[in-house]
Amino acid sequence: MEPRKRHVFLLWMLVCAGSTQAIEPISTSIAVGMAAALTGFLASYQNIFYYFHECCRPEWISFNSSGLKVDLEQKLFGQHIASRIVLKALTGFMNNAQPKKPLVLSLHGSTGTGKNFVSQIIAENIYKEGMDSSFVHVFTSELHFPHASKIDTYKSQLQQWIKGNVTNCGRSMFIFDEMDKMHPGLIDSIKPYLEYYDKVDGVCYRKAIFIFLSNAGGESITQIALDFWRAGQDRQTIDLKDLEVPLSLSVFNNKQSGLWHTSLIDKNLVDYFVPFLPLEHKHIVQCALAEMEAKGMVKNHEVADQLARDLVYFPKAERVFSVKGCKTIESKLDYYT
């Protein structure tokens, strides 16, 4: 145990266990000495209780720009556009002491391309507790908002949840998963919190982060990636400008999406539409090797390659992109090893 942690832990034990019976055998002079030492120690650690309990302070919330860069480079495969956007967006926002509005990212792509994983990476490089932080809030459409008939109730609840949590900590993060399954119109209820306002009902939302995850737009992203592949162009040459407009239009006009005709897009409140490209065979191999390492296994390229080859790819004749991306790699790895 680190010296500082050991001292704080001993002090905590002393404070918590400080009954009369526990110190009765100690002589008066020793007790007085301990009291003096304890007073001095407490003066040095005025914020001792923050050391043990997560709170909205720099000890628990601190942006690690270099850590985010390394994680995106070494753990996210086949997503050069998404990596670049996320790193620049987060770095600029977190280093701005007075942002004009909350950061709003909308992550789009087919299943297993890394959208949830990137959300996790972001959380781990801002919050000491990562996704387990009490300041990271995840909403899943089918779990939290299942019934279309209750949309008005959901709107009110969602506003209250966000307001309450941002009141508690301005540096809160909200992740909305399965946006393609959310009832159209529901997400518009949080529009005032994403605007360029100093405060809304006395609460400042400017330092909060909102992340939307959706499969909507995945088809348009895949088609563009396929066009590049068929033209013999390198995947790395695909740029955001090739995807941003068709992606935003596809999402805005998708009646099955929670972002259908949303004012968040109409009013340009989404800062970045982040496209996730479909994954090829080589990326699946990288995912399998990374999973082996995460499980403490020796990396086996032959096993990773065989696992990747056995997956389903599309288009059927060309077998270019994995249907499920890296989503089933963890469970399948047990079968191959």
Side-chain angles (χ1 to χ4, degrees):
M1 186 181 294
E2 297 176 14
R4 181 173 181 271
K5 289 185 176 180
R6 186 185 302 115
H7 294 156
V8 175
F9 178 71
L10 292 173
L11 173 61
W12 181 261
M13 293 295 292
L14 180 61
V15 172
C16 291
S19 64
T20 305
Q21 291 84 350
I23 64 172
E24 203 170 27
I26 303 177
S27 66
T28 303
S29 59
I30 296 177
V32 171
M34 287 183 64
L38 182 61
T39 301
F41 192 86
L42 284 172
S44 301
Y45 291 91
Q46 296 180 10
N47 299 320
I48 185 172
F49 297 107
Y50 296 132
Y51 187 90
F52 296 95
H53 181 70
E54 185 185 27
C55 53
C56 190
R57 293 170 56 90
E59 294 91 336
W60 296 91
I61 304 175
S62 180
F63 179 53
N64 183 356
S65 178
S66 59
L68 177 63
K69 184 175 186 295
V70 170
D71 284 347
L72 291 172
E73 289 176 348
Q74 298 183 359
K75 299 179 180 179
L76 183 66
F77 307 118
Q79 304 299 350
H80 64 283
I81 301 174
S83 293
R84 184 168 63 248
I85 296 173
V86 169
L87 180 61
K88 289 186 176 181
L90 264 296
T91 301
F93 180 74
M94 295 299 293
N95 289 338
N96 185 352
Q98 297 296 329
K100 294 182 178 181
K101 67 179 290 295
L103 177 63
V104 183
L105 303 176
S106 193
L107 281 50
H108 297 268
S110 53
T111 299
T113 50
K115 301 183 296 296
N116 279 285
F117 187 50
V118 164
S119 300
Q120 177 184 326
I121 289 176
I122 292 172
E124 290 175 348
N125 284 286
I126 296 178
Y127 304 92
K128 186 176 180 181
E129 297 294 303
M131 291 296 291
D132 292 327
S133 172
S134 58
F135 307 122
V136 176
H137 313 279
V138 180
F139 300 98
T140 303
S141 297
E142 291 189 329
L143 176 63
H144 295 98
F145 318 111
H147 307 295
S149 60
K150 296 184 178 180
I151 188 170
D152 289 335
T153 300
Y154 295 151
K155 286 182 178 181
S156 177
Q157 290 177 339
L158 187 55
Q159 290 174 336
Q160 291 172 15
W161 287 336
I162 292 177
K163 181 179 180 179
N165 283 299
V166 175
T167 299
N168 182 44
C169 182
R171 189 66 84 182
S172 293
M173 185 164 85
F174 302 92
I175 301 172
F176 292 84
D177 198 3
E178 300 179 345
M179 281 298 297
D180 47 302
K181 299 177 182 177
M182 180 177 283
H183 306 298
L186 174 55
I187 201 64
D188 281 342
S189 65
I190 69 169
K191 176 180 174 289
Y193 307 145
L194 310 185
E195 288 272 15
Y196 292 81
Y197 297 136
D198 288 335
K199 292 183 178 181
V200 178
D201 291 334
V203 180
C204 178
Y205 295 86
R206 290 185 168 191
K207 292 186 177 182
I209 298 174
F210 293 81
I211 302 178
F212 304 135
L213 311 180
S214 177
N215 290 344
E219 291 183 2
S220 62
I221 295 171
T222 296
Q223 186 58 56
I224 292 171
L226 190 59
D227 290 342
F228 269 73
W229 182 85
R230 285 172 172 164
Q233 294 178 270
D234 190 278
R235 178 190 183 93
Q236 295 295 118
T237 63
I238 304 175
D239 197 68
L240 178 61
K241 67 178 184 296
D242 300 311
L243 295 162
E244 192 168 31
V245 173
L247 174 57
S248 60
L249 289 175
S250 173
V251 173
F252 185 74
N253 293 313
N254 187 339
K255 293 184 177 181
Q256 304 304 316
S257 170
L259 293 172
W260 178 66
H261 283 199
T262 176
S263 58
L264 305 190
I265 296 178
D266 195 35
K267 300 298 182 181
N268 299 308
L269 297 180
V270 176
D271 297 296
Y272 297 93
F273 287 94
V274 187
F276 283 70
L277 300 171
L279 300 182
E280 300 174 13
H281 173 273
K282 62 183 178 182
H283 305 124
I284 306 302
V285 172
Q286 289 177 302
C287 288
L289 292 172
E291 188 60 37
M292 290 177 186
E293 184 176 18
K295 289 188 173 184
M297 301 167 57
V298 176
K299 290 183 179 180
N300 189 319
H301 286 263
E302 290 184 4
V303 170
D305 182 68
Q306 186 59 55
L307 187 158
R309 288 179 183 278
D310 289 347
L311 296 184
V312 179
Y313 291 82
F314 70 96
K316 190 173 182 179
E318 297 156 300
R319 286 177 54 85
V320 183
F321 302 125
S322 170
V323 171
K324 294 184 178 179
C326 288
K327 191 167 187 177
T328 62
I329 295 300
E330 181 180 3
S331 58
K332 286 184 177 295
L333 194 58
D334 294 330
Y335 174 78
Y336 285 85
T337 55

